[in-house]
Amino acid sequence: MRDRIRAAATTAAPTPSGIRAPQTGRRAIATGWVRGRPGPSYPAQVLNALADQLTPTAAEPVTVEVWTDALHTAGRTVLATVPRIVCTATLDHVIATLPAPRISQGETCGEWALRLRTAARSI
């Protein structure tokens, strides 16, 4: 007997281009699947936008205020046109994969931006 969770995670038949699209609609939207070719997922786009927000202040140390403001701006920028449920799923994924800034070690915004871009590539 197959359980519903594993059955929902299965993928559909291959498309003509050979790419397998996820079967569930919410998961397809949250991971950023586009017809034909997958692009960067929404969580990866948010992490890259967050790194872009931190780049102008690369030499300054990361503070809680700096990274929360940058995260809010990045989330609003990337997720402005998607449904609320997709925003929630995307931000949950971002928070789960977000490398924590090393505030106590004096990490700069530029150093954290590099770690964010590395995390975005792995999503």
Side-chain angles (χ1 to χ4, degrees):
M1 181 171 109
R2 295 176 57 138
D3 65 11
R4 288 181 289 154
I5 295 171
R6 289 194 185 123
T10 60
T11 55
T15 60
S17 63
I19 298 172
R20 298 175 71 88
Q23 191 171 358
T24 58
R26 179 178 174 195
R27 181 174 168 201
I29 294 170
T31 56
W33 278 84
V34 181
R35 187 172 293 209
R37 263 185 46 192
S41 65
Y42 285 130
Q45 291 178 31
V46 171
L47 288 176
N48 281 324
L50 178 57
D52 292 342
Q53 293 288 322
L54 296 170
T55 302
T57 58
E60 296 178 17
V62 179
T63 63
V64 174
E65 294 81 20
V66 168
W67 77 269
T68 54
D69 289 342
L71 181 60
H72 285 275
T73 304
R76 276 186 263 126
T77 302
V78 173
L79 305 173
T81 59
V82 298
R84 187 175 204 68
I85 193 164
V86 176
C87 289
T88 303
T90 300
L91 292 176
D92 288 345
H93 194 185
V94 168
I95 296 300
T97 59
L98 185 70
R102 299 174 183 148
I103 296 172
S104 63
Q105 297 174 359
E107 184 175 41
T108 64
C109 291
E111 293 168 343
W112 193 43
L114 290 174
R115 292 194 310 122
L116 288 169
R117 291 189 197 284
T118 303
R121 280 192 296 266
S122 68
I123 294 179

